[in-house]
Amino acid sequence: MEPGSLEWLLVPMQQLVSWGAAGAMVFGGVVPYIPQYRDIRRTQNAEGFSTYVCLVLLVANILRILFWFGRHFESPLLWQSIIMIITMLLMLKLCTEVRVSNELNVKRRSFAAADSKDEEIKAPPKRSYLDFDLNYFWHWSKFTDYVQCILTFTGVTGYITYLWLDSSLFVETLGFLAVFTEAMLGVPQLYRNYQNRSTEGMSIKMVLMWTSGDTFKTVYFILNQAPFQFSICGLLQVFVDIAILLQVYLYSHYPQKPVSHTAHPASTKAL
């Protein structure tokens, strides 16, 4: 076969592979959350999923978008951030609705079985992001409070970025903060599993997809010569994923007695 005919075949194949890799980067990051979303919706129980994961990813991807204005990187990475922000807002909305619904159901059951003295029990106060109480940060009662908090964060960081956009030191630091924050994605889930001495309620499929996706993403960063912050923090993210998988093995084969916690909303629930 002549070299010209081989080139005619290889060029479209290379283009197809390039498009496939770009598509995997854009949408691959949200795939791990599909089984977790379906599990929460099916069981109406979000206790096994830490909503701080949503907080980490929202902050990381907002910072990454702002970093793009100072140093243009590949478009698939930019679109990945936009898709991820939308996905995390959907996860937050579902978790908030499920938590509030469960609290109402518990209240109704208590009321139905209560005597006249129990009628004095009051429902827990609704919390909003304007409470300025760190004990209830990211434990709010309405999805709109999460949206307002994210919009406030975006506005403040966007304004600061606009003022310092000409500083290369600031831009590189912003890029590092973006990918380092994302690298810490699994830490809330890692800590929650350690607190509970269990991985029950957490989607194992989600963590496996985290690991495979982060590995692919890190290799993609290295091969495409993305900013060095991306490659370093990608490797860190893979190590955290592996640590969670070790927890899955440890707690399933060697069950441990859960640590007793004080009855405090911020410590007993992830939402």
Side-chain angles (χ1 to χ4, degrees), residues 201-262:
M202 183 193 72
S203 174
I204 308 302
K205 293 179 181 177
M206 179 186 72
V207 182
L208 288 172
M209 290 180 181
W210 271 359
T211 308
S212 58
D214 291 338
T215 302
F216 169 81
K217 183 172 61 177
T218 303
V219 172
Y220 182 90
F221 291 157
I222 295 173
L223 293 180
N224 288 272
Q225 298 181 342
F228 75 95
Q229 300 101 320
F230 285 66
S231 301
I232 294 174
C233 293
L235 290 171
L236 178 60
Q237 198 167 354
V238 172
F239 290 144
V240 174
D241 295 340
I242 293 174
I244 296 177
L245 288 176
L246 288 175
Q247 283 184 324
V248 173
Y249 173 80
L250 177 65
Y251 296 145
S252 61
H253 288 77
Y254 307 97
Q256 301 183 28
K257 185 177 179 181
V259 178
S260 60
H261 302 289
T262 56

Side-chain angles (χ1 to χ4, degrees), residues 38-240:
R38 293 177 62 184
D39 287 347
I40 294 173
R41 194 174 186 85
R42 175 176 54 84
T43 62
Q44 290 297 295
N45 184 356
E47 290 298 313
F49 177 72
S50 173
T51 52
Y52 283 110
V53 169
C54 299
L55 174 62
V56 169
L57 279 175
L58 285 168
V59 170
N61 285 281
I62 289 169
L63 293 178
R64 184 193 287 186
I65 291 174
L66 295 176
F67 176 52
W68 181 86
F69 287 99
R71 181 177 176 184
H72 288 3
F73 46 79
E74 287 195 335
S75 296
L77 298 180
L78 178 64
W79 282 105
Q80 181 199 43
S81 293
I82 296 172
I83 297 298
M84 184 61 74
I85 289 173
I86 295 172
T87 303
M88 289 302 102
L89 289 176
L90 290 175
M91 287 292 295
L92 271 177
K93 186 175 187 297
L94 176 64
C95 290
T96 305
E97 289 174 351
V98 167
R99 179 175 62 86
V100 172
S101 175
N102 288 341
E103 287 179 351
L104 289 175
N105 288 336
V106 170
K107 177 60 181 172
R108 289 193 187 103
R109 287 198 295 271
S110 299
F111 179 79
D115 56 24
S116 58
K117 293 181 180 179
D118 291 330
E119 291 178 3
E120 298 178 0
I121 299 176
K122 297 181 180 179
K126 292 183 177 181
R127 299 290 176 179
S128 73
Y129 87 109
L130 294 176
D131 285 344
F132 299 108
D133 187 341
L134 292 178
N135 291 326
Y136 294 97
F137 177 76
W138 212 249
H139 298 275
W140 303 313
S141 305
K142 293 181 179 180
F143 172 66
T144 53
D145 290 312
Y146 293 95
V147 174
Q148 291 171 18
C149 178
I150 292 302
L151 289 176
T152 301
F153 173 78
T154 304
V156 172
T157 53
Y159 180 69
I160 295 173
T161 302
Y162 174 75
L163 294 178
W164 291 87
L165 201 57
D166 295 332
S167 171
S168 59
L169 177 61
F170 173 83
V171 171
E172 293 301 326
T173 303
L174 183 65
F176 175 78
L177 288 176
V179 291
F180 180 76
T181 303
E182 186 175 359
M184 294 295 101
L185 164 65
V187 173
Q189 193 69 57
L190 186 74
Y191 179 68
R192 178 169 179 76
N193 295 341
Y194 172 76
Q195 271 191 318
N196 295 339
R197 297 294 194 273
S198 170
T199 56
E200 183 180 357
M202 183 193 72
S203 174
I204 308 302
K205 293 179 181 177
M206 179 186 72
V207 182
L208 288 172
M209 290 180 181
W210 271 359
T211 308
S212 58
D214 291 338
T215 302
F216 169 81
K217 183 172 61 177
T218 303
V219 172
Y220 182 90
F221 291 157
I222 295 173
L223 293 180
N224 288 272
Q225 298 181 342
F228 75 95
Q229 300 101 320
F230 285 66
S231 301
I232 294 174
C233 293
L235 290 171
L236 178 60
Q237 198 167 354
V238 172
F239 290 144
V240 174

Side-chain angles (χ1 to χ4, degrees), residues 17-35:
V17 170
S18 177
W19 288 344
M25 281 301 302
V26 173
F27 297 102
V30 305
V31 172
Y33 300 96
I34 295 176

